[in-house]
Structures are given as structure tokens and as C-alpha cells.
Amino acid sequence: MTGAQVRTDDRTADVGAVRRLLIRPELGAVVGMVAVFAFFASQSPVFRSPAGIANWLDPAATLGIMAVAVALLMIGGEFDLSAGVLTGTSGLILVTLATRFGFNVWAAMLAGLVVALAVGFANGMVVTRTRLPSFIVTLGTFLMLQGINLGVTKAITGTVQVGGLRRADGFEGAAAVFAGTIEIGGTSFRVAILWWVVVTAVATWVLMRSRVGNWIFAVGGNEQAARNVGVPAARTKIALFMTTAFAAWLVGSIMALRYTSVQANIGIGQEFIYIIAAVIGGCLLTGGYGSAVGAAIGAVIFGMADKGIVFLGWDADWFKFFLGAMLLLATLANRLVRRYAEEVRH
Amino acid sequence: MILETRGIGKTFGSVLALRDVSMGVTAGQVTCVLGDNGAGKSTLIKILSGVHRHDAGMLLVDGAEVGFASPREALDRGIATVYQDLAMIPLMSVWRNFFLGSEPRRGLAFDVAKARRVAREELRAMGIDIRDVDQPVGTLSGGERQSVAIARAVYFGARVLILDEPTSALGVKQAGVVLRYIARARDRGLGVVFITHNPHHAYPVGDRFLLLNRGTSLGEYAKGEITTQELTALMSGGAELEELAHELERE
């Protein structure tokens, strides 16, 4: 609105523009990213070199793909604790089918996608039908998948990992698309970074510029009210669980093609990192508020801290401390922002 | 008469919630439904809005008998209900709430520019002075929220607007704001059903007054036939009030 249309109310004068900027969910994450970058860049020349940037953008990318999907789900008011283990399941299916059952790599990936989407669909169905908290439902899925990953891998290989993907049919092509590198100005960047950018862009468009985006905010904000005005709440939530599952498949495939082998226990514990990145990016734990770009930035902060600590020659254990401190700060900042945004003005 | 009931009634098990109530809603008029708690006001509006089905009497839309199976059916006939708890999402912006569930489309996309523009125009046409349609609904006052809900119902083609106690949780000034939008909706040719337990809110804006007590009608009056004092007396049962006054008197 232009200034002329704004009512001259002495209590709200001139706060409009500032308030609008401050209530952007990603604001806190942007400030955090700038601060963390400034800190590490000033301490380590390697950190701010192109090679260094390519180095810390890589973990940011694989984490970011998951964090963005998890952020959409959290805005929709649900959690997915099985997302981390599902990356392992997808990778294990890919490598096992391609190396032990003679599948072409592309076919094996397709099989992994079908299974991942089925898991996401099942999570969504159980949550929407039973109205149980998704925290519990997906905790169940998490434990079951963890068991399957280990049990099936041991039964087939006798060990807790499968490898040898390099020899499978179609490996070269799939590896180039999902695990290759791109040269930019003499520095090679992982292609995963490109996937991360694409996922973030699509998620942002869906959230801000599509009807489904409106529904996602609504089912997370007040599911009953959303249903009353005709929003297909159950379908929206199931689609969100399947989106998280798709992201898990993408990341699992990228990792499997990159390392050509998968550990059966991979991805365990990652589910909380995704949620933390989304929260640092401005998502509320209670749903209905957040941003995909914010979650992507949350992932950048992680990537920078993860590699920056190594560049500085510190003990990597400090990363965990940093993680906890960031989470606490972000949650406090989000709470302030939310209070400010929701403040009733008479 | 757009919406009419003739001797309508509803029982829940052995409880007679509503018995033999007749009322009418005309385009461009406000019908007030007055009654104390438990008088049957909410049962009546739930029948009108399609939440409950009546089991005695007749419900008529445009003179033809109907039976609504769901609120959606009532809505399709142009009967929109704004409930007290509003069905709005506090953290979402005014324009996102305005079009929630009926988003305008442009190709695959949600036509955000149109949604913003129409929300702003519609609110202004109703005389609702929202500072900024991008602000979250949670930052609006209670009266403003009611007003946005009314504007939304008007925009989506409501012919009859049922308002469930829109002023009961509001202060004097805010209630005045909402009453003004009720008048505005009436002036745009909508039939309004205004449920309240406050005769002082009902009298200035109402054209007809239906009084309910313990599930039965105490009669439907046109504005010329009754005064605020008489409304108050009828509503609370004048005798009961006198008795109370007597009881509270000092010995």
C-alpha cells in the first residue's frame, strides 16, 4: 500500500515497513549466516577462497535438500523423524539391486523412489487417519526402517555395508547427473549444489505462489479452520510426507552414487539436524510459519560451521556445541519475531 | 423472502432443543435472533446453515422447501455463516485468509496479485480500513477480523449472511465497528441473520426481531412494534428480572 492509503494512526505510524521486514521468517537465518561467514572468513583465508566455498557448500547442499523438504512439512504442522534413515534405505535399495540383482542403476534408482514414496505415503496416511502426533508415528517408522536397513543388509551381504556400485550398468551416466562436479572459474563444485538450488527454488515457488502453498500454511496454522473453508487437509499433509520422502531418496541416491557404497546405519541421527536447520531458518515447531529459503540458509550455516571448524584446526567435537547454541539462539529469535508479528493492535 | 422457517423444530434424543419457531430473512434487511444462553439460538443457526437437519416444520429457500445435508449445500445456495471463532488462520496474511480454499488461479499458479488487489478492494468497498492486506490476521483486532470474515462471505456470493454472536466478545467501540459492517452488508442487498444476546446491539441495526426462550419463540416483531426496553424485558423474562431486583433489594 502507498503511504496515502495508510490510516494515520499514531500508535502504528511508520512501523509498517520495518515490521514487514522483521517478520520475514528467514531474517534471523540471514543474520546468522552473515555472522558465521564473517567469523570464519576473517580467521581462515582458505575458508573464503573459491575452493573453500565449494568445500563448505557441499555438506550444505545435501543437508539443504532435506532441510527444505522438512521445512515444508513443518510449516504444514508435522514432523518426519524417519527422513534421515530413509536416505539410507533409498541408497541401500539402489546399491543392493544394482550390485546383487543385476539391475541397471537407473532402474534401481526408480525402485528406490517407489519404495521411498510408499514410505512417505504410509506416514501421511497413518498421521491423517489416526490423528496421532506425527512425532510418534514417524518415530515408529524410523525404528522400523533402521531395523530393516541393518537386517536386510546383513542377510544379503553378511556385513553391514553394500558396495561395488561402480561396476553396475548405467553407473557413469547416473553418477554424472547426481554425483558429478561442475567447473566454475577453475574450481570444481559438486553437482549436488545445483540440485539443492533447484529444490529450494521449486519449494519457494510452491509455498509462495501456488494454491497448495496457501493450503500448507493453513493446515499448519489451524487444520480445522482450513478444512472448514474447503482445504483438502489430509491430501496436503500426505503430499508433504511424500515430498520429504522424495528428498530423502534424492539425497540417498546422491550419496550412494558418490561413495559407490552404503553403510546400513547411515542417516541415523540426521533427522534432528534437518529439523534444526529448518528451525534456524525460521520454521515454528508449532507449524504454520516458516520458509524454504530460510531452511536452505540454515543448511549453509551448518555447512560453514562443519567445515570452518576443520579449517581453523579446532577439534570437530566443537561442532556439536555450536549446533546447540545456534538452535537455542534461533528458537529465541523466532519467538520474539512471532510475538511481534502476532501482537494485536486495536 | 430468501430464507424462511415455518414451525421448525429439533430434538436431540429426549431434549427439545427447538420447538415451533417461524422466522423470515428478506434481502436488504436484518433479522435479529435474540435469546439468553440456552434459548436455542445456536440450534436455529445450525439448522439454517446446514450443520443440523430439522426434524419438524419446514425450511424454505426462495419459497421452496429444502433440507440441507451439509454446510456446503447451504453455502451453494448462498447462505454463508460467520462463526464466532471465525475460521481464520492468525499467522497468515489478510489476503491469504480471504481466498483460503478458493484461491484464484492463473495457469498453475495462485494469482497472488489478483488476490491482493481483490482483497484490498473488497475490504475498502465494505468500508473496512485495513492498514495493510499483507499483515497477519493475528494482528487485527477482534472487530476487524469479524469484518474481514463478513467481507469474504459477501465477495463469495452470499445472499444470506448468518452472524453468530459477532459482537459478544467485543468492547463497545469494536462492537460499533462490526454493527456498521452489518449495516453495510444489508445496504448491499444481503439478508442478514444477526444472533446476539444483547438487545442494545440488535435494536439499532435490526429490522425484525425473533425472540427465543427455552427453545420456543416468543414472537417475531418488526421494529415499529417494539422498543429496546420491551426487547430486554421479553428476553430475560420481565418477571424474572423484577423478581431478581426484589431479591437484591436491601432488607
Side-chain angles (χ1 to χ4, degrees):
Chain A
M1 276 225 228
T2 62
Q5 290 157 336
V6 177
R7 181 169 60 185
T8 46
D9 184 328
D10 52 352
R11 289 162 304 172
T12 60
D14 296 329
V15 296
V18 179
R19 180 183 291 261
R20 228 169 302 157
L21 181 68
L22 279 179
I23 63 173
R24 293 295 316 148
E26 54 277 86
L27 179 84
V30 171
V31 173
M33 177 175 72
V34 171
V36 172
F37 179 83
F39 173 75
F40 285 114
S42 68
Q43 304 286 312
S44 156
V46 187
F47 185 86
R48 55 179 189 262
S49 71
I53 292 172
N55 192 290
W56 53 255
L57 273 182
D58 177 43
T62 45
L63 167 60
I65 292 169
M66 291 309 298
V68 167
V70 166
L72 293 190
L73 181 67
M74 283 178 68
I75 295 170
E78 303 293 347
F79 292 101
D80 187 353
L81 298 184
S82 66
V85 178
L86 192 57
T87 64
T89 308
S90 307
L92 287 167
I93 291 171
L94 163 56
V95 179
T96 307
L97 288 181
T99 59
R100 311 283 151 147
F101 295 91
F103 276 53
N104 182 287
V105 169
W106 292 100
M109 281 181 71
L110 188 67
L113 177 61
V114 170
V115 172
L117 290 179
V119 170
F121 180 76
N123 277 338
M125 279 300 276
V126 174
V127 168
T128 53
R129 283 288 167 87
T130 62
R131 313 239 162 151
L132 286 169
S134 51
F135 200 87
I136 295 299
V137 172
T138 59
L139 182 62
T141 318
F142 161 77
L143 291 169
M144 290 193 295
L145 286 178
Q146 194 180 335
I148 290 175
N149 284 1
L150 278 163
V152 174
T153 307
K154 270 190 191 162
I156 292 176
T157 67
T159 67
V160 290
Q161 71 157 11
V162 279
L165 190 60
R166 200 178 295 281
R167 293 184 301 275
D169 285 344
F171 173 79
E172 297 300 328
V177 174
F178 292 98
T181 57
I182 308 170
E183 293 284 325
I184 301 173
T187 310
S188 50
F189 289 84
R190 290 279 194 181
V191 75
I193 297 167
L194 193 63
W195 281 103
W196 168 48
V197 172
V198 170
V199 166
T200 308
V202 171
T204 301
W205 184 85
V206 168
L207 213 47
M208 305 308 288
R209 288 289 178 272
S210 79
R211 309 176 75 201
V212 176
N214 219 30
W215 300 346
I216 293 171
F217 281 113
V219 296
N222 184 343
E223 189 177 351
Q224 191 53 47
R227 205 176 283 124
N228 283 348
V229 294
V231 172
R235 265 194 291 151
T236 305
K237 288 199 168 178
I238 292 169
L240 286 172
F241 277 106
M242 291 177 76
T243 304
T244 313
F246 173 84
W249 166 79
L250 181 58
V251 171
S253 300
I254 287 172
M255 292 308 212
L257 288 162
R258 184 182 290 180
Y259 300 118
T260 71
S261 71
V262 179
Q263 301 285 332
N265 64 354
I266 201 165
I268 296 167
Q270 290 293 303
E271 56 285 335
F272 282 112
I273 312 268
Y274 309 150
I275 292 171
I276 293 166
V279 169
I280 288 175
C283 286
L284 290 179
L285 286 166
T286 43
Y289 193 75
S291 108
V293 173
I297 294 172
V300 171
I301 294 176
F302 265 82
M304 289 197 295
D306 187 16
K307 297 293 177 183
I309 284 168
V310 177
F311 286 153
L312 292 191
W314 293 359
D315 195 317
D317 295 341
W318 285 100
F319 179 64
K320 280 277 174 356
F321 174 82
F322 171 82
L323 218 97
M326 278 303 293
L327 177 67
L328 211 53
L329 274 174
T331 318
L332 286 171
N334 288 350
R335 195 177 65 150
L336 285 176
V337 168
R338 183 185 154 146
R339 279 217 188 130
Y340 190 48
E342 277 198 315
E343 197 173 276
V344 177
R345 289 171 283 162
H346 290 281
Chain B
M1 203 92 58
I2 309 177
L3 185 62
E4 195 183 346
T5 68
R6 286 186 199 152
I8 215 157
K10 174 81 188 167
T11 51
F12 294 103
S14 61
V15 180
L16 268 168
L18 205 62
R19 191 152 35 108
D20 194 22
V21 172
S22 299
M23 65 169 291
V25 189
T26 316
Q29 290 213 337
V30 179
T31 302
C32 297
V33 177
L34 290 134
D36 207 350
N37 294 339
K41 299 192 300 285
S42 41
T43 308
L44 178 62
I45 57 160
K46 278 178 179 160
I47 291 170
L48 296 180
S49 62
V51 175
H52 292 325
R53 235 190 136 115
H54 56 286
D55 41 33
M58 282 199 284
L59 179 64
L60 300 96
V61 175
D62 300 319
E65 191 172 1
V66 292
F68 296 133
S70 73
R72 187 79 238 172
E73 272 183 32
L75 207 55
D76 290 342
R77 298 297 300 266
I79 297 158
T81 310
V82 175
Y83 289 101
Q84 218 169 350
D85 50 11
L86 281 176
M88 285 223 217
I89 321 278
L91 280 168
M92 288 170 77
S93 66
V94 172
W95 63 269
R96 280 189 181 275
N97 265 288
F98 196 94
F99 284 99
L100 184 58
S102 314
E103 294 85 356
R105 239 186 304 192
R106 191 163 151 201
L108 274 171
F110 175 8
D111 193 343
V112 168
K114 184 183 173 192
R116 270 209 186 89
R117 193 189 59 214
V118 172
R120 195 177 298 144
E121 284 169 4
E122 285 300 312
L123 292 174
R124 199 170 303 146
M126 288 286 290
I128 300 165
D129 184 15
I130 297 284
R131 287 169 292 272
D132 177 0
V133 290
D134 278 310
Q135 66 183 318
V137 159
T139 65
L140 302 179
S141 66
E144 285 173 326
R145 283 190 224 190
Q146 287 286 349
S147 310
V148 172
I150 293 171
R152 176 167 73 179
V154 171
Y155 176 73
F156 285 107
R159 296 190 299 146
V160 174
L161 192 57
I162 300 170
L163 302 168
D164 178 19
E165 305 253 10
T167 57
S168 64
L170 303 180
V172 177
K173 199 175 153 205
Q174 290 288 321
V177 171
V178 173
L179 291 177
R180 213 163 289 138
Y181 300 132
I182 292 174
R184 195 91 51 149
R186 174 199 67 195
D187 295 342
R188 285 179 73 159
L190 274 82
V192 180
V193 181
F194 174 24
I195 291 99
T196 180
H197 55 246
N198 189 334
H200 301 287
H201 288 164
Y203 198 75
V205 77
D207 296 294
R208 304 168 72 77
F209 304 93
L210 171 72
L211 283 140
L212 294 180
N213 188 26
R214 293 163 182 259
T216 57
S217 173
L218 297 177
E220 196 184 12
Y221 301 89
K223 193 163 196 164
E225 299 168 4
I226 196 163
T227 64
T228 323
Q229 287 76 22
E230 286 168 329
L231 269 182
T232 316
L234 268 173
M235 243 186 85
S236 47
E240 280 170 46
L241 259 192
E242 265 172 42
E243 203 176 289
L244 185 68
H246 185 72
E247 193 184 310
L248 295 177
E249 251 172 39
R250 291 168 196 276
E251 293 289 313

